[in-house]
Amino acid sequence: MKTSTISQSAYSTFIDHVEAQQVNHVVIKPSRLEYSLKDEFGAQKFYTKAEQNRADLIKVLTTNQVTYTISAQNSEDTASLIAMLLSTGVLVGAFAWLTKLAGAGAGGGIGGIGLGKSKARVYEQGKTGVKFADVAGVAEAKQELQEVVDFLQNGAKYKQIGAKIPKGVLLVGAPGTGKTLLAKAVAGEAGVPFLSMSASEFVEVYVGVGASRVRDLFAQAKRQAPCIIFIDELDAIGKSRGNNPNGGNDEREQTLNQLLTEMDGFEGNEGVILIAATNRPEILDPALRRPGRFDRQVLVDRPDKKGRIEILQVHSQKVILGEDVDLTLIAGQTSGFAGADLANLVNEAALMAARNNRQAVLMADFSEAMERIIAGLEKRSRILTDTERKTVAYHEVGHALVGALMPGGSKVTKISIVPRGLGALGYTLQMPEEDRFLMLEDELRGQIATLLGGRAAEEVVFKKVSTGASDDIQKATELAEKAITQYGMSKDLGPIAFAKENSQFLNNSTSRRSVGGEVATKIDRLVKNNIDQAHQMARKILELNRELLESTTQILLDREVLDGAQLTQILDQAKAPEGMQEWLLPQ
Ligand code: ADP
Ligand code: ZN
């Protein structure tokens, strides 16, 4: 073929060519890039080593409006391709590469397919060049990870004083929230190498290979210390071992055991810190979370509106924005978008603008791009309709307003309507003023009313209810039942511990008596009474404070998160309805 006419160029030359708008088209291959210059610049063909992260590369290409194709084949020459595949190492590499392509947008490395060296491909080596400034909207996570940067930079300081540096940090959050980016930024800030591997790649390959790859990974990390090992999708190997009724997956278990062994085999002070990411922490094998392993957990949340503005700003730095573009407005319309969705949005809008031969990206491009992306996301059911969003907002404010008037530990400290994925559409956070081990009767009553405040708000505002309160109702019922059967908070029945047949409270108890017909009926009636009263009280509160309910909901819909002083200030205005104090007293 025409390989003879292709000459090699340095990667920096390639970038120069791209930025000078001289490049016609780029073919991205696993180990190299091939490109040709435009006719007016001689139409010459070059190849260069692919050194950059694929996502970054594509960003550069799109910014400069260079077309590209991605090819899974390394060479057009079939004979040499077959020769290459004969080496198992490369075969594995090629498979993994293809899967990477299938999971488009994963932004994996394209550098370093070492011929015959299977393990080289999966590590993205070298300094990442990513800084904390590139990650936006996740201030808390950044703050916690800042400490890890210090461990890496000033290991000696900790060693000297005899402090044990943690070995493993688990990043927990929905896909695309920036976990990988954060891990890279830690390496970038500390200026240390970043070795990364996706856990699914450990187990995709042949039996026994997973464990040996883990071994290699750690061996390599120790040679490069201080450094970061990043394991993406930890749940792929870290699933709880006891959970599989059809017998375990031997390959996965071997790999997991090897990982545990490796983690126990070094000290954090050796300068290797493991960062792993998962969106399903609940299925992880508990052994992974033991002290000395992944004992630190950092939540990487979906961004709130303010966070989304920041992320949009980061990503639109590299594109030319038209004057009519209002990032705050866009942020307001993209509730539920993760960082990756927003990055994608900016890029789609830029593509749209380029396709329309515009000099800058206009608001219209953003709108069009948004529609496309939302259509895609809705299939994964993550985006709320406007009505749903409103319902969730009223519901959460309902909890907060009722809680504001209740004694003790029912005060609400944060409300959010940023969707969490996996079911929760919004949440309300209650933080007791101090650690409480005892709850007084009035507080318990208040707690029940607070739980029912969400449902009550839906009733007051919409005159109909959603399914969103099922968890609240469950909790309220449990609490009301416990008040009577365990805490003896009923004058009628007195301080006797009861348990109904089949009650979950029976589990670890020997001292409770089973009850028969009459008492059981009485308990049921009392529980129902308590719930009804709390429910009525919650409604009364919200009806009396209807205006505050409205205005607070509007603020929440706008900002998506309310906490701290903002929230206190609003809630301090809540008025108590008649009869509330009496209702709180023991009955
Ligand atoms: P995760 O590992 O959580 O699935 P990634 O870190 O791979 O997510 O995110 C994919 C891409 O989305 C990043 O490379 C970045 O371009 C963009 N992105 C995601 N989260 C953020 C964020 N918080 N700030 C800026 N960009 C982000
Ligand atoms: Zn609720």
Side-chain angles (χ1 to χ4, degrees), residues 320-335:
I320 303 168
L321 290 187
E323 278 187 5
D324 72 332
V325 174
D326 181 348
L327 294 182
T328 308
L329 195 64
I330 298 172
Q333 293 165 341
T334 46
S335 177

mmCIF file of all heavy atoms in Angstrom, residues 320-335:
data_model
loop_
_atom_site.group_PDB
_atom_site.id
_atom_site.type_symbol
_atom_site.label_atom_id
_atom_site.label_comp_id
_atom_site.label_asym_id
_atom_site.label_seq_id
_atom_site.Cartn_x
_atom_site.Cartn_y
_atom_site.Cartn_z
ATOM 1 N N ILE A 320 -15.265 29.027 21.064
ATOM 2 C CA ILE A 320 -15.581 30.450 20.941
ATOM 3 C C ILE A 320 -17.083 30.625 21.154
ATOM 4 O O ILE A 320 -17.900 30.095 20.392
ATOM 5 C CB ILE A 320 -15.165 30.974 19.552
ATOM 6 C CG1 ILE A 320 -13.677 30.704 19.351
ATOM 7 C CG2 ILE A 320 -15.495 32.453 19.412
ATOM 8 C CD1 ILE A 320 -13.208 30.907 17.921
ATOM 9 N N LEU A 321 -17.426 31.341 22.206
ATOM 10 C CA LEU A 321 -18.836 31.514 22.537
ATOM 11 C C LEU A 321 -19.388 32.793 21.942
ATOM 12 O O LEU A 321 -18.748 33.838 21.984
ATOM 13 C CB LEU A 321 -19.033 31.568 24.051
ATOM 14 C CG LEU A 321 -18.830 30.294 24.863
ATOM 15 C CD1 LEU A 321 -19.245 30.523 26.300
ATOM 16 C CD2 LEU A 321 -19.615 29.133 24.275
ATOM 17 N N GLY A 322 -20.576 32.718 21.383
ATOM 18 C CA GLY A 322 -21.249 33.911 20.887
ATOM 19 C C GLY A 322 -21.718 34.763 22.058
ATOM 20 O O GLY A 322 -21.791 34.299 23.198
ATOM 21 N N GLU A 323 -22.048 35.995 21.751
ATOM 22 C CA GLU A 323 -22.401 36.912 22.832
ATOM 23 C C GLU A 323 -23.716 36.578 23.503
ATOM 24 O O GLU A 323 -23.944 36.933 24.652
ATOM 25 C CB GLU A 323 -22.462 38.354 22.292
ATOM 26 C CG GLU A 323 -21.092 38.971 22.231
ATOM 27 C CD GLU A 323 -21.160 40.443 21.874
ATOM 28 O OE1 GLU A 323 -22.276 40.970 21.770
ATOM 29 O OE2 GLU A 323 -20.085 41.034 21.705
ATOM 30 N N ASP A 324 -24.571 35.884 22.777
ATOM 31 C CA ASP A 324 -25.895 35.621 23.355
ATOM 32 C C ASP A 324 -25.907 34.403 24.276
ATOM 33 O O ASP A 324 -26.941 34.055 24.833
ATOM 34 C CB ASP A 324 -26.924 35.438 22.231
ATOM 35 C CG ASP A 324 -26.732 34.115 21.497
ATOM 36 O OD1 ASP A 324 -25.581 33.612 21.451
ATOM 37 O OD2 ASP A 324 -27.718 33.573 20.983
ATOM 38 N N VAL A 325 -24.754 33.748 24.422
ATOM 39 C CA VAL A 325 -24.739 32.520 25.223
ATOM 40 C C VAL A 325 -24.787 32.850 26.711
ATOM 41 O O VAL A 325 -23.978 33.602 27.224
ATOM 42 C CB VAL A 325 -23.499 31.663 24.906
ATOM 43 C CG1 VAL A 325 -23.426 30.483 25.849
ATOM 44 C CG2 VAL A 325 -23.551 31.188 23.467
ATOM 45 N N ASP A 326 -25.775 32.278 27.399
ATOM 46 C CA ASP A 326 -25.970 32.526 28.816
ATOM 47 C C ASP A 326 -25.805 31.194 29.562
ATOM 48 O O ASP A 326 -26.715 30.371 29.592
ATOM 49 C CB ASP A 326 -27.375 33.107 29.026
ATOM 50 C CG ASP A 326 -27.646 33.421 30.487
ATOM 51 O OD1 ASP A 326 -26.855 32.990 31.351
ATOM 52 O OD2 ASP A 326 -28.658 34.096 30.752
ATOM 53 N N LEU A 327 -24.624 31.005 30.130
ATOM 54 C CA LEU A 327 -24.334 29.708 30.757
ATOM 55 C C LEU A 327 -25.224 29.455 31.974
ATOM 56 O O LEU A 327 -25.555 28.310 32.278
ATOM 57 C CB LEU A 327 -22.857 29.622 31.147
ATOM 58 C CG LEU A 327 -21.855 29.618 29.977
ATOM 59 C CD1 LEU A 327 -20.440 29.473 30.499
ATOM 60 C CD2 LEU A 327 -22.158 28.513 28.976
ATOM 61 N N THR A 328 -25.624 30.523 32.668
ATOM 62 C CA THR A 328 -26.505 30.347 33.829
ATOM 63 C C THR A 328 -27.850 29.778 33.388
ATOM 64 O O THR A 328 -28.405 28.880 34.027
ATOM 65 C CB THR A 328 -26.720 31.696 34.531
ATOM 66 O OG1 THR A 328 -25.445 32.273 34.789
ATOM 67 C CG2 THR A 328 -27.470 31.519 35.829
ATOM 68 N N LEU A 329 -28.335 30.285 32.277
ATOM 69 C CA LEU A 329 -29.606 29.791 31.742
ATOM 70 C C LEU A 329 -29.465 28.311 31.353
ATOM 71 O O LEU A 329 -30.325 27.489 31.664
ATOM 72 C CB LEU A 329 -29.979 30.635 30.526
ATOM 73 C CG LEU A 329 -31.411 30.520 30.037
ATOM 74 C CD1 LEU A 329 -32.357 31.034 31.102
ATOM 75 C CD2 LEU A 329 -31.588 31.313 28.739
ATOM 76 N N ILE A 330 -28.366 28.000 30.691
ATOM 77 C CA ILE A 330 -28.150 26.603 30.274
ATOM 78 C C ILE A 330 -28.069 25.708 31.504
ATOM 79 O O ILE A 330 -28.658 24.631 31.545
ATOM 80 C CB ILE A 330 -26.859 26.485 29.436
ATOM 81 C CG1 ILE A 330 -27.001 27.334 28.166
ATOM 82 C CG2 ILE A 330 -26.591 25.032 29.078
ATOM 83 C CD1 ILE A 330 -25.720 27.441 27.372
ATOM 84 N N ALA A 331 -27.364 26.174 32.523
ATOM 85 C CA ALA A 331 -27.240 25.381 33.748
ATOM 86 C C ALA A 331 -28.621 25.135 34.350
ATOM 87 O O ALA A 331 -28.912 24.045 34.847
ATOM 88 C CB ALA A 331 -26.339 26.096 34.744
ATOM 89 N N GLY A 332 -29.483 26.150 34.272
ATOM 90 C CA GLY A 332 -30.822 26.012 34.829
ATOM 91 C C GLY A 332 -31.661 24.978 34.084
ATOM 92 O O GLY A 332 -32.574 24.386 34.644
ATOM 93 N N GLN A 333 -31.319 24.745 32.844
ATOM 94 C CA GLN A 333 -32.111 23.811 32.039
ATOM 95 C C GLN A 333 -31.520 22.410 32.000
ATOM 96 O O GLN A 333 -32.014 21.546 31.299
ATOM 97 C CB GLN A 333 -32.224 24.347 30.601
ATOM 98 C CG GLN A 333 -33.032 25.623 30.525
ATOM 99 C CD GLN A 333 -32.840 26.334 29.196
ATOM 100 O OE1 GLN A 333 -31.867 26.082 28.491
ATOM 101 N NE2 GLN A 333 -33.751 27.219 28.859
ATOM 102 N N THR A 334 -30.439 22.197 32.743
ATOM 103 C CA THR A 334 -29.768 20.902 32.632
ATOM 104 C C THR A 334 -29.680 20.187 33.973
ATOM 105 O O THR A 334 -28.689 19.526 34.262
ATOM 106 C CB THR A 334 -28.356 21.072 32.037
ATOM 107 O OG1 THR A 334 -27.714 22.169 32.701
ATOM 108 C CG2 THR A 334 -28.409 21.375 30.561
ATOM 109 N N SER A 335 -30.723 20.324 34.763
ATOM 110 C CA SER A 335 -30.763 19.623 36.047
ATOM 111 C C SER A 335 -30.606 18.118 35.805
ATOM 112 O O SER A 335 -31.249 17.561 34.926
ATOM 113 C CB SER A 335 -32.102 19.904 36.721
ATOM 114 O OG SER A 335 -32.170 19.185 37.914
#
